[in-house]
Amino acid sequence: MTEKFAVRSALSTTPAYIPGKPPQAVEGIESYKLSSNENHLPPLPGLTDVIAAAATTPALYADPAVSALTAELAAHLDRPAEMILFSAGASEMISALANITLEAGTEVVYPWPSFEMYPQIASLRGATHRRIGLTEDFRHDLDAMADAITDSTRLVFLCSPNNPTGSAIRTDEFEQFMARVPQHVIVVLDEAYREFCTDPEAVDGLTALDAHPNLVLVRTFSKAHGLAGLRIGYAVADPEIILELRKAVLPFAVTAVAQAAARESLSRVSEVEVRAKEIAATRDELIAGLREQGWDVPDSHGNYVWLPLDAKSADFEQACLAAGIAVRNLQDGVRISIGPDASMRRVVDIAAEFRARYH
């Protein structure tokens, strides 16, 4: 930690978030960024016109209450508006949840590997980490997570589908887990990739919310809706939790452009869902192609595939970069976002050559 400036001691143990690398240019071939789980499909027809129209008054603040979008989402989810709160992406909501629960002397429980912001936000608040490794088949070890909860636990993160491994939490195991969680402990179900999930047994957060007032759903317009660059996410929770979260999210953080784009996309949610399932089909094809080569690839329900390479992760990342593909090296493995068909074919070719060289 720097000695030149007076900063919080918690920063000495706080990792900085490292974004996915861009691809490097390779002469003669098109490069693809498959490192950030972005939606590679073009915007919904007409959406850019809506965005342009909303950007005509940049000097004015956006509606801080996100009133129109909140009302429309409440109607779509069939929940009262008092249960919904928007933020500048799901990441801001995750940070806000930490702000209302964590401080020195408290504990947070989360799976690992999972979303990289969980340890970052826990460290910033000075909280103690209870980092629970995944099972051998790359799923949440919910029994171990429940065992890790103590009197000091204030927050639990679950991620379904899990980023980066793609596993979805099933309803029966979720309910068994929640039965062991004290009702005063807030449990966050991060559902950023829910629209890509094709597991019929996966827990539905909205249904689970009715039985568990300590549950908070965190969702986003970044992934399936393809609005990552506009930063708009939201929470669905008990109104008392939402009331506290309002104190922790930044005012005016959700721009007018983001609100307009999300309203348009929500009004066409059936199209969004169809496109998400198209991406899921491409994902399953990629998994099948890698498995045919002999790779041990777990089932995925996000818009990405996890390749558990352990010590070979860096070598695979470099092989991809040399071929104009950027993937996400997370040390334990490599996460490959779903992209255009041509990029998927190239990934399969890279994997085949890599396996022939290193196995």
Side-chain angles (χ1 to χ4, degrees):
M1 184 173 64
T2 179
E3 296 181 0
K4 185 176 181 180
F5 303 107
V7 298
R8 295 177 55 214
S9 59
L11 288 171
S12 65
T13 57
T14 300
Y17 181 81
I18 301 173
K21 293 181 180 178
Q24 62 186 29
V26 177
E27 187 175 355
I29 60 174
E30 182 176 359
S31 296
Y32 297 97
K33 183 185 178 187
L34 306 181
S35 56
S36 296
N37 291 350
E38 294 158 325
N39 189 326
H40 74 277
L41 297 178
L44 289 168
L47 181 63
T48 54
D49 294 334
V50 172
I51 291 172
T56 57
T57 54
L60 303 181
Y61 285 113
D63 172 15
V66 197
S67 304
L69 178 57
T70 299
E72 290 164 10
L73 182 62
H76 174 68
L77 298 179
D78 193 23
R79 295 295 185 278
E82 293 76 17
M83 293 184 67
I84 296 169
L85 181 64
F86 280 90
S87 58
S91 297
E92 191 203 358
M93 191 61 71
I94 289 170
S95 180
L97 283 157
N99 280 338
I100 70 169
T101 56
L102 300 180
E103 58 191 343
T106 64
E107 297 177 357
V108 57
V109 178
Y110 58 88
W112 198 256
S114 195
F115 184 35
E116 292 165 275
M117 273 199 68
Y118 301 157
Q120 180 187 36
I121 61 100
S123 292
L124 274 174
R125 279 72 182 181
T128 298
H129 300 231
R130 300 297 182 193
R131 180 184 293 189
I132 308 302
L134 303 179
T135 62
E136 290 185 1
D137 55 351
F138 306 102
R139 301 179 57 80
H140 284 47
D141 190 339
L142 292 174
D143 285 337
M145 292 185 70
D147 290 341
I149 294 173
T150 72
D151 291 341
S152 298
T153 303
R154 295 293 178 271
L155 188 63
V156 176
F157 283 113
L158 306 177
C159 190
S160 181
N162 186 47
N163 174 20
T165 61
S167 61
I169 298 173
R170 297 181 180 126
T171 302
D172 56 349
E173 62 182 350
F174 174 82
E175 291 298 335
Q176 292 170 16
F177 172 77
M178 290 299 291
R180 296 184 58 190
V181 178
Q183 292 189 358
H184 69 276
V185 174
I186 291 178
V187 176
V188 179
L189 183 58
D190 185 343
E191 294 187 305
Y193 300 93
R194 56 178 293 275
E195 292 91 347
F196 303 106
C197 184
T198 53
D199 185 350
E201 297 180 15
V203 62
D204 174 66
L206 205 61
T207 301
L209 195 64
D210 295 333
H212 304 289
N214 60 328
L215 181 65
V216 178
L217 308 184
V218 174
R219 295 180 174 183
T220 185
F221 281 83
S222 291
K223 305 304 179 182
H225 289 265
L227 301 181
L230 298 183
R231 311 308 303 132
I232 182 161
Y234 62 96
V236 189
D238 184 283
E240 291 188 22
I241 296 177
I242 294 295
L243 185 64
E244 301 304 325
L245 283 170
R246 289 187 187 280
K247 304 173 185 178
V249 298
L250 294 173
F252 303 106
V254 183
T255 67
V257 171
Q259 293 182 40
R263 290 181 67 191
E264 175 68 13
S265 195
L266 181 63
S267 74
R268 299 164 64 180
V269 69
S270 60
E271 296 174 64
V272 172
E273 291 170 348
V274 168
R275 288 154 61 97
K277 293 306 182 282
E278 291 174 357
I279 292 171
T282 302
R283 172 201 68 208
D284 292 344
E285 290 173 3
L286 176 60
I287 291 174
L290 293 171
R291 285 175 175 171
E292 285 178 7
Q293 296 177 2
W295 295 104
D296 181 19
V297 184
D299 291 338
S300 175
H301 293 282
N303 64 334
Y304 48 85
V305 169
W306 177 245
L307 200 53
L309 289 162
D310 297 320
K312 295 187 177 72
S313 296
D315 291 332
F316 187 85
E317 178 191 27
Q318 289 304 313
C320 288
L321 287 171
I325 298 283
V327 296
R328 191 80 150 108
N329 173 19
L330 295 168
Q331 313 310 320
D332 294 328
V334 170
R335 190 192 67 199
I336 306 166
S337 304
I338 301 307
D341 289 344
S343 69
M344 299 291 92
R345 290 192 293 270
R346 195 180 304 169
V347 166
V348 171
D349 290 343
I350 294 167
E353 183 179 345
F354 188 88
R355 189 170 183 85
R357 184 187 310 167
Y358 288 96
H359 280 70

